[in-house]
Each structure stands twice: as structure tokens, then as C-alpha cells.
Amino acid sequence: MNDLALLRAHTRVAFLDLVRWPGYVVPTLLFPAMFYVLFDLPFARRHAGIADVTTLSFMAFAVVGVALYQFGVGIAQERGRPWERFLRTLPAPAGVRFGARIATAMIFGILTAGFVAIVARMLTPIDLSWSQWALVAVYTLCGGVPFVLMGITLGYWASPRAAVPLATACNLLLAYGGGLWMPPDDLPGFVAKISPYLPTRQFGDLLWSVTGYAHAAPAIAGLAVYAAIFALAAAIGYRRDEHRRYS
Amino acid sequence: MLLELQEVSKAYGSIQALRDVSLAADRNEIVALLGPNGAGKTTAIEIALGLRSPDGGRATIFGGSPRSTAVRRRIGVTPQESGFPDMLRVGEILAFVAAHYPRPMALHDALADFGLDELAKRRAGALSGGESRRVALALAFVGNPELVVLDEPTTGLDVESRRRLWRTLRRFGQDRCVIFTTHYLEEAEANATRVVVLDRGRTLFDGEPEALRGRVGRRSVSYVGANGRVAVRPEDADEYVRTLVRSGNDFSDLEVTRPSLEEAFLTLTGASE
């Protein structure tokens, strides 16, 4: 019974339970691509440079959404359920359960962001080389980490009812403020001032750096700080919940 | 000992759920944890399984921590409430749980033992309450563990499902160990080799079902005599019957009944007040 086989079994179960809810799959996969078509397609069609940057923005938006919902809402709603309690009695380390959640989120994150990329490839003159796409893939996954941790934090601190509106608010406000929906230069004054400090902006910068539109190093540093903060907040939230539930 | 609680205490706020409860279960035993609601049965089980930490005392399974993966590989548990992920199929849930164990049952056998053959492809969200309970029970056995812990296994089961459960349990209990909680006296009496009675967090009794009835002792004697039916509960039923026979009086329809477990239980709990 090695842990890898268990990880696969847990991931399969978590994935199947999600993928069979059309109400989860359809909006998750479609919304970022749909927003992309509605908001940015008219501009992106005209110019390869714009297409590159806006596509990457919406890929980041897609990953942030999956991370906040999968972890934030998912954990908040499931942590009190009998099934979760039962899983604890099974011979599997806690790491396997967490790993399965991360793997499932990665699958959905890749699918959702990939869908944006496919739409962009079909409808815009986007011009990225294969090596650039490869870098985009790596950055998308790594840049998603602080948002996964933010989602876990939300999942353990928010009540099941509050999780959905909170995740939505975080997702939309951060996407807007981070300049993922419109170029950061066009943001109104106040928002433009705080934008560089938001994790979504740093995620955007990281992806945009692939086309030379921003610098990667400060973005990575900023994301690392956020990752550390949310790792701590998530760990405290997890302990707190464990203590309340299982002591 | 397969499972052992040593002087375990547990309080929730001002409510003392368990007071110095000790419990041990070994191979070849089917142990019933019997008590009314709120007696501390579920807390005792949760502490034994490592789902809760005791305030005092120790819980071990196979001599080790119930939280260790190695120990858990040897135990099967049924959830008290059954809430499965709605979209998973019964067969998938069983296969998933079986994947955690070194020598699981064949999926087909597990389905058959709990009357789930027809439901293998059914989604958990579409199960009735009773069906869902049967799936929950099957999950405790599907890994083919050495120790099975069932919290209120018969709640929500119909008569046929109960019979099937006890049959499975007796067969399974050979060379292994089963612990179940119940507040039905007949269940404990009929199916357990040992009964532990809990009331308000204390152990009132720990022994064979026979001995539990012996604690209340007095059997009742009844017969139809010249003036109609006589029913008495003498100090010594045997002596009473000998005297009756020697007296030469005519009587018919003699009955000597042992106290029911229910009576034994009432006496035990009454004594603790």
C-alpha cells in the first residue's frame, strides 16, 4: 500500500465527485474564457502584443478562481461532514488527503487556464513560441501556490455559508485590482496605487514577464511573501479546526 | 489485547462524558457496548479510534496508537452517520476504501454480504437511508481487517438487513474481533460474547451476557394452581419449585423465567443513582 497508489485513489475519488457536477464543471471551465471573450477579445484581436498579455491575464484569473473555490469553498463545506470524519479513520496519512486536493485543483486549474489559451489561439493573433508556452505553464502552476494557500486559509477560517461570497469577493476584487481584467495602467488612481502590492498583480507580472511586459524577479519575491503569510494562516486555521473538532 | 482503553476520562465543558472507563477486547470476541443515549458509547469509540483525545487515561489498538497508519490498516470502521459524496457510485466507494488495505475482500463478496449487488452502480446521492447504512457497514469489512468497530450498526436497518449483518458479524468474529455499540438490549444479548454496560460515563458492568442477567439474580416462577395463576419471584427459585412439588398440591403450566436483560439493565442503572 504505497502512498502513491493511495494518492491516486484519493485524487480519483475527489476528481470524480467534482467532475460529475455539471454545476461545478461548466462555470469553472467556461467563466474565465467567457470573460476573456466578453472583455478583452475586441482589443486582443487587433494586436498580437495585446493578445499575449490579455490571454496570460485571464489564465492567471482562471487559476486564482479554481484555487479559491476548490480550496476555500471546498474545505469550508466539507470539513464538518461525516465523510471527512470517516476518511480520518482510514489508514492514509493526512498528507495524502491534502495531496489529492492539490492534484485535483491542479487538474482543474490546467484545464481552465488551458481553455483560455485555446480560445485565444483560435480567435486572436496571439504570438507565443513553444518555449514561451512551456514557461507560461511552469509559471502558472508555481504562481498559483499562494492562491492555493489563500484558499486553504479561507476554507479553515470561513464558515460554510460565508465561504462562497467571500471566495467570490476575493476572486473578483483581486482580479480587478491586480489588473487581470484591464491593463494596470488604466486602473483608477487609488486602485493603481495599491495594485502592485496585490498577489494577483504579482501573478500577472510573473506571467507577463514571459513576453517582456514585466519583470519576473520582484513578482516572484512578492508571491513568495504571500505564500509564506498564507501558509502560516492556513496552518493556524487547520490546527484551530482540528482542535475544535477532534479534541 | 486488540483494543484497550485504560481509565479513560473525557469531559465536554461541564459534562463528564466518560469517567475512568476501562475496556479491553481480544481476538474471538464480539463486544457490545451497551447503554442509553448519552451514556458515552460514541465518545468511548471515538477515543479508542483516536478521533478524540482523552483528558486522562490511554487508548491503544494492537498495543499502538490508534492514529498510526500501521494500526489503522488492521481496523475497519463504520461511520455513525452516513454521508457519502453524492456523485460517487457505491462500487467506487467500496473500491476506494478497499485500496487502503493490504488484503481487502473481493469487491463482489463485500457487495453480496451486505445485499448491495444491485446497487454497485448507484450513486451515493440516490441511496435510501437504509441502503446508505448498508454501504457504511460494508466499508468497515471491505478491507478485511482484524478488528471491526461499528457505531450503532443496526440504526436504520430493516429486519432482513439486520439478520444479514449479524450473520456476517458472527462469521467474521471468528479469530478476529468486533466491537459494536447499541442501545438495544436484545441485540447485545443475542450477538455479543461480552457486554459492557455504560451509563453516564461509567462502566456499570463488564462480562458475559449470562453474567449480566445473573447480577439481577432472581428468576420468577409462575404456575396455575387451584386458585388460578400464581406468579412469584422467590429468593431461590430452585428451592421454591422443590417445595412446591413436595407439597403434593396440584399445579400445571410451570414456568421459571430468567430476568430479561432489560430488567438487569434497569437494576444496574438504578443502582448507580
Side-chain angles (χ1 to χ4, degrees):
Chain A
M1 247 12 70
N2 61 55
D3 287 354
L4 209 63
L6 279 184
L7 180 64
R8 218 177 53 209
H10 279 252
T11 306
R12 190 181 125 82
V13 159
F15 180 77
L16 284 180
D17 188 42
L18 272 183
V19 85
R20 287 176 187 163
W21 288 105
Y24 173 81
V25 175
V26 174
T28 302
L29 287 183
L30 287 190
F31 275 9
M34 195 182 77
F35 282 165
Y36 177 69
V37 169
L38 290 178
F39 293 160
D40 277 3
L41 192 62
F43 312 104
R45 295 185 91 131
R46 288 188 223 137
H47 191 280
I50 298 176
D52 293 349
V53 172
T54 53
T55 303
L56 295 174
S57 301
F58 274 82
M59 288 175 72
F61 173 57
V63 169
V64 172
V66 168
L68 288 180
Y69 278 93
Q70 249 276 250
F71 289 90
V73 178
I75 291 176
Q77 292 184 343
E78 283 162 24
R79 66 193 148 106
R81 290 196 183 153
W83 177 246
E84 279 298 308
R85 211 176 171 75
F86 173 70
L87 289 183
R88 303 175 65 90
T89 65
L90 290 178
V96 165
R97 297 200 299 276
F98 250 116
R101 204 180 269 287
I102 288 169
T104 316
M106 273 171 70
I107 296 170
F108 275 101
I110 289 167
L111 287 176
T112 309
F115 200 56
V116 173
I118 289 166
V119 169
R121 292 268 300 186
M122 277 162 40
L123 302 179
T124 74
I126 188 168
D127 185 24
L128 293 178
S129 67
W130 286 111
S131 61
Q132 280 175 311
W133 276 121
L135 198 55
V136 166
V138 173
Y139 282 172
T140 311
L141 285 178
C142 298
V145 171
F147 298 96
V148 167
L149 294 165
M150 186 193 263
I152 297 174
T153 303
L154 186 71
Y156 282 111
W157 286 94
S159 73
R161 275 173 203 279
V164 175
L166 272 177
T168 308
C170 288
N171 189 20
L172 300 186
L173 289 176
L174 285 174
Y176 173 74
L180 298 182
W181 285 351
M182 57 168 77
D185 300 339
D186 295 351
L187 289 169
F190 168 70
V191 183
K193 272 207 193 85
I194 56 165
S195 179
Y197 304 102
L198 296 178
T200 34
R201 171 64 175 277
Q202 290 153 357
F203 194 10
D205 280 345
L206 180 64
L207 288 172
W208 299 328
S209 74
V210 174
T211 67
Y213 185 75
H215 296 289
I220 292 172
L223 288 170
V225 170
Y226 273 109
I229 293 171
F230 284 116
L232 187 68
I236 296 171
Y238 176 75
R239 288 266 170 79
R240 178 174 156 267
D241 182 62
E242 287 283 286
H243 186 74
R244 213 179 34 175
R245 227 171 271 285
Y246 299 107
S247 67
Chain B
M1 283 296 144
L2 257 61
L3 179 147
E4 204 164 11
L5 291 182
Q6 290 168 302
E7 289 166 22
V8 165
S9 295
K10 177 75 184 173
Y12 301 114
S14 61
I15 299 162
Q16 192 71 33
L18 292 178
R19 297 165 215 255
D20 294 332
V21 168
S22 295
L23 173 77
D26 212 346
R27 252 169 234 287
N28 289 311
E29 279 195 304
I30 299 178
V31 178
L33 209 51
L34 176 66
N37 288 326
K41 305 185 297 278
T42 297
T43 300
I45 292 287
E46 285 177 338
I47 288 173
L49 292 174
L51 286 172
R52 288 191 188 279
S53 313
D55 297 339
R58 233 159 71 87
T60 52
I61 296 183
F62 299 102
S65 161
R67 290 186 182 167
S68 91
T69 307
V71 164
R72 285 202 180 138
R73 238 168 241 153
R74 300 167 72 178
I75 60 180
V77 178
T78 193
Q80 187 179 22
E81 302 166 76
S82 25
F84 305 111
D86 281 344
M87 289 298 182
L88 295 183
R89 297 176 204 287
V90 169
E92 286 167 351
I93 296 173
L94 283 174
F96 166 68
V97 172
H100 289 78
Y101 292 88
R103 286 173 305 277
M105 288 173 82
L107 202 59
H108 174 265
D109 293 339
L111 288 167
D113 277 354
F114 293 89
L116 298 170
D117 309 80
E118 317 255 293
L119 299 178
K121 295 237 183 296
R122 181 84 63 85
R123 281 209 294 255
L127 295 173
S128 74
E131 290 164 345
S132 192
R133 286 301 303 161
R134 266 144 59 200
V135 174
L137 287 169
L139 293 184
F141 291 88
V142 72
N144 210 6
E146 292 160 71
L147 168 69
V148 161
V149 181
L150 309 170
D151 201 359
E152 311 222 333
T154 55
T155 306
L157 287 188
D158 59 27
V159 178
E160 173 55 31
S161 304
R162 278 174 202 225
R163 266 193 216 124
R164 201 186 281 124
L165 169 67
W166 298 126
R167 218 162 41 225
T168 305
L169 207 137
R170 271 191 291 273
R171 196 182 65 222
F172 183 88
Q174 285 163 7
D175 200 41
R176 286 185 276 192
C177 178
V178 180
I179 296 181
F180 69 93
T181 68
T182 179
H183 47 255
Y184 297 114
L185 306 155
E186 309 74 34
E187 267 181 20
E189 183 183 28
N191 302 293
T193 58
R194 199 148 62 81
V195 181
V196 176
V197 180
L198 277 185
D199 184 54
R200 273 162 291 173
R202 259 191 282 257
T203 315
L204 292 183
F205 175 86
D206 183 347
E208 291 175 4
E210 293 293 309
L212 177 56
R213 277 181 304 207
R215 276 283 282 272
V216 187
R218 296 192 179 186
R219 286 164 291 173
S220 45
V221 178
S222 95
Y223 59 91
V224 179
N227 302 318
R229 181 161 285 278
V230 177
V232 288
R233 183 171 283 196
E235 202 151 323
D236 185 342
D238 300 317
E239 184 54 36
Y240 184 89
V241 171
R242 273 196 289 275
T243 313
L244 176 69
V245 172
R246 265 190 235 117
S247 71
N249 294 334
D250 202 22
F251 70 88
S252 62
D253 200 19
L254 175 71
E255 273 177 24
V256 180
T257 28
R258 297 184 304 173
S260 73
L261 205 54
E262 184 125 39
E263 287 169 298
F265 188 72
L266 285 174
T267 310
L268 283 172
T269 52
S272 77
E273 266 165 16

